[in-house]
């Protein structure tokens, strides 16, 4: 939830203050995508290996 808040703040800053904040939006969105899609898959694979 806090990462979504940070994303919202960064978008707000990018729109109101400076276009350089879009770089922070891209980084935060990438970290969110990694946390939602890549990281759980890696943990499941690791758990499967440990069960064997």
């Amino acid at each position: 939830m806090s990462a979504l808040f940070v994303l919202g703040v960064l978008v707000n800053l990018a729109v109101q203050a400076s276009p350089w904040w879009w770089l922070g939006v891209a980084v935060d969105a990438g970290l969110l995508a990694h946390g939602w899609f890549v990281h759980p898959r890696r943990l499941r694979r690791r758990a499967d290996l440990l069960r064997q």
Side-chain angles (χ1 to χ4, degrees), residues 1-9 28 32 36:
M1 185 64 165
S2 63
L4 290 176
F5 177 75
V6 170
L7 184 63
V9 169
D28 193 44
L32 275 171
W36 283 340

Side-chain angles (χ1 to χ4, degrees), residues 2-27:
S2 63
L4 290 176
F5 177 75
V6 170
L7 184 63
V9 169
L10 288 172
V11 168
N12 186 27
L13 285 169
V15 170
Q16 292 185 0
S18 169
W20 281 102
W21 287 105
W22 287 112
L23 183 63
V25 171
V27 168

